Amino acid sequence: MYTVFLLVAVGASLFLGTVQQCCGPSKLQTYFDVLTFLPGGRGSTVTYNMSYDAVTKRVAYHVFGNSMQEDVDAIIDYRANMSYVWSEGVCDVSHANQFHEMCFPEGKLVRKSFMGVFPDIIKLNTYLISDDQGRYSFTIAKPCTPVEMERQQTDFLMLNRFYNMTLGIKNESVFTPPKICFKKESRISKTYETPLLYRAAAMFGQVP
Ligand SMILES: *[C@@H]1O[C@H](CO)[C@@H](O)[C@H](O)[C@H]1NC(C)=O
Ligand SMILES: *[C@@H]1O[C@H](CO)[C@@H](O)[C@H](O)[C@H]1NC(C)=O
Ligand SMILES: *[C@@H]1O[C@H](CO)[C@@H](O)[C@H](O)[C@H]1NC(C)=O
Ligand SMILES: *[C@@H]1O[C@H](CO)[C@@H](O)[C@H](O)[C@H]1NC(C)=O
């Protein structure tokens, strides 16, 4: 069901000691597309939207389905140490992992640019970070909101594009799991964190 490729694993903890980072707004809602490119013209585009609240430590995702997979919804309530993932009337309940704020390492500043038409512009900084696995590039709008993130490895490229970002949470009910997640038959997952959540969280460096 969760045929979503690994999102950019920022591994913030990896860089924490060595690289300065900026942290995004504490409450936001945003759409993002995850584009993956693999050899032989294989790849996919998956659209998500996310509600993120660092104050109450809750994150909700909606994964828009396509011909390859159904819609998936997820709520991770880090404060309660609970995560809920549901799709097609089945809810997977498990524990959340440690909450990490949405922060971006400010590696080597490789480009300053702007989007839009002057003077109606948004200023961007692009940072580059490399490790033995490959390269990450982060394009961050000032003061600190993600616009584009790229992960490049041998034979693999992943691009995350953010759009329609708004500050605050319009409707808190986005963090309330549906009734099916509280039924006895809801699957209690043995796994510490489901693959989908792992992948989604990995994007913001929430997984070491
Ligand atoms: C996704 O967006 C829709 C409408 O655009 C909204 O109703 C829904 O709450 C959002 N979901 C999340 C998890 O942000
Ligand atoms: C969440 O619960 C699991 C299982 O009880 C536990 O191992 C883990 O340490 C808890 N995590 C946090 C952040 O409390
Ligand atoms: C993004 O915002 C525009 C302008 O408000 C809106 O028309 C469009 O439907 C939004 N896109 C999505 C995917 O919600
Ligand atoms: C919030 O969303 C819920 C579920 O979609 C809806 O029932 C409720 O009326 C909404 N509240 C507001 C203030 O829009």
Side-chain angles (χ1 to χ4, degrees), residues 125-191:
N125 280 348
T126 302
Y127 299 96
L128 196 67
I129 284 201
S130 305
D131 64 12
D132 47 359
Q133 307 275 316
R135 300 176 353 146
Y136 302 94
S137 116
F138 302 91
T139 298
I140 307 291
K142 289 184 171 178
C144 187
T145 47
V147 173
E148 202 167 85
M149 295 195 232
E150 195 184 285
R151 174 87 179 113
Q152 205 180 330
Q153 275 168 244
T154 325
D155 286 355
F156 179 72
L157 178 69
M158 179 184 302
L159 196 62
N160 297 347
R161 285 205 191 114
F162 294 79
Y163 54 98
N164 285 22
M165 191 177 291
T166 52
L167 287 183
I169 305 294
K170 275 190 214 93
N171 186 333
E172 293 282 335
S173 76
V174 74
F175 295 124
T176 306
K179 286 201 184 91
I180 51 160
C181 293
F182 298 102
K183 285 191 175 151
K184 266 211 196 97
E185 55 269 32
S186 296
R187 280 192 229 147
I188 307 296
S189 189
K190 293 279 183 289
T191 53

Side-chain angles (χ1 to χ4, degrees), residues 14-64:
L14 208 68
F15 309 113
L16 259 176
T18 49
V19 177
Q20 193 173 344
Q21 51 178 5
C22 74
C23 297
S26 58
K27 287 172 191 254
L28 64 82
Q29 295 185 295
T30 188
Y31 282 81
F32 58 97
D33 289 343
V34 179
L35 291 78
T36 49
F37 305 91
L38 291 162
R42 290 176 300 129
S44 66
T45 303
V46 179
T47 298
Y48 292 71
N49 74 349
M50 176 181 76
S51 298
Y52 164 88
D53 185 341
V55 178
T56 64
K57 297 188 169 65
R58 292 179 299 181
V59 185
Y61 297 94
H62 179 79
V63 187
F64 292 88

Side-chain angles (χ1 to χ4, degrees), residues 81 95-96 98 192:
N81 193 10
H95 290 287
Q98 189 72 41
Y192 186 64

